[in-house]
Amino acid sequence: MNREIIMTLDGSKTLYIKDLNETYHSHNGALQEAEHVFIKNGLIKINHYQFNILELGFGTGLNVLVTINALLRNDKNHIIHYFGIEKYPISNDELLALDYAKLFDNPEISEIEKKIHAANWGEATEIIPNFFLTKIKADFFDIKNLKLPKIDLVYFDCFGAKVQPDLWEKPLIEIVANTVNLDGLLTTYSSKGSLKRALKELNFDVEKLAGPPGKREMINARKL
């Protein structure tokens, strides 16, 4: 895929795919979206000492970066295994151009970001003490064939339904649901009707929440 770097309204950058007319993050603010959807309405709602996170898709690595930053900022001493699924990894040149480390006050973030992207695909890497990242190069539908542990928190961050509608329908949602622990949480920027229906059919309690800047609603879903 041919990608270019663009600036979003909060001063953070994202990738734009011209052929799909699709961005990796909201043009209203990549950083704001990640923190609102996946930290405020995801990470901070998990109370376990040890838990597993699954991200679809890993993309630019921004979501794992904001996750680690939130843990460091709040001095959270958890044991976390984070699994990021991505079919089309970004290049080193794209990583340098995105320059996400400058968005954070913590001086450690620059080295953490380098470690995230230097981690070998398919291998668990300890990024900070007790935070283990496994990047997996795979199609989302291949999740059913992966030997993942039960997941406590899902970052559902696929491309939008206008360009990849199959990612928001029941077949993929069911594959993801089968990985989730009871009381596990799925959080996503979307509030698509087919997603809500599929989640309810798969025994999730679905809650509509205020969306990130530029979006009226988003979804949290808790597995019953």
Side-chain angles (χ1 to χ4, degrees), residues 32 37 42 46 60 68 79 86 92 136 142-143 152 156 162 166 179 196 207 217:
Q32 289 182 130
V37 177
I46 305 298
T60 65
I68 292 173
I79 298 174
E86 178 58 52
N92 287 332
I136 301 171
D142 291 335
I143 289 172
D152 303 290
F156 202 86
K162 69 178 182 179
D166 57 324
T179 73
K196 289 184 283 188
E207 181 182 11
E217 294 178 341

Side-chain angles (χ1 to χ4, degrees), residues 26 28-29 32-34 36-37 189 210-218:
S26 169
N28 289 291
Q32 289 182 130
E33 178 185 50
H36 181 88
V37 177
Y189 66 87
K215 189 164 182 61
R216 188 165 60 91
E217 294 178 341
M218 57 165 283

Side-chain angles (χ1 to χ4, degrees), residues 45-186:
K45 296 183 177 181
I46 305 298
N47 297 317
H48 311 312
Y49 167 66
Q50 182 170 339
F51 58 95
N52 302 316
I53 300 174
L54 174 64
E55 180 185 7
L56 291 75
F58 187 76
T60 65
L62 181 58
N63 292 337
V64 69
L65 202 59
V66 297
T67 298
I68 292 173
N69 184 63
L71 293 168
L72 293 173
R73 186 174 61 227
N74 294 294
D75 196 27
K76 295 292 186 181
N77 185 26
H78 296 291
I79 298 174
I80 297 174
H81 292 265
Y82 189 112
F83 301 89
I85 312 295
E86 178 58 52
K87 192 173 183 179
Y88 302 104
I90 70 170
S91 68
N92 287 332
D93 287 344
E94 288 170 323
L95 171 62
L96 290 171
L98 288 166
D99 196 19
Y100 283 146
K102 75 173 186 181
L103 302 173
F104 300 88
D105 295 332
N106 191 333
E108 296 179 64
I109 290 295
S110 180
E111 288 304 312
I112 289 170
E113 184 179 32
K114 291 175 185 176
K115 195 169 183 179
I116 288 169
H117 290 281
N120 291 328
W121 288 82
E123 298 179 10
T125 301
E126 192 171 17
I127 304 298
I128 60 173
N130 294 325
F131 186 100
F132 300 88
L133 169 66
T134 303
K135 301 185 298 185
I136 301 171
K137 188 176 179 181
D139 187 274
F140 298 147
F141 286 91
D142 291 335
I143 289 172
K144 63 180 179 292
N145 301 318
L146 301 176
K147 295 180 180 179
L148 296 175
K150 281 295 186 180
I151 300 299
D152 303 290
L153 175 59
V154 178
Y155 292 172
F156 202 86
D157 198 21
C158 307
F159 282 149
K162 69 178 182 179
V163 297
Q164 290 192 306
D166 57 324
L167 303 184
W168 301 92
E169 302 294 335
K170 190 173 180 179
L172 178 60
I173 307 308
E174 187 166 17
I175 290 170
V176 174
N178 287 337
T179 73
V180 179
N181 259 326
L182 290 179
D183 200 41
L185 177 67
L186 181 149

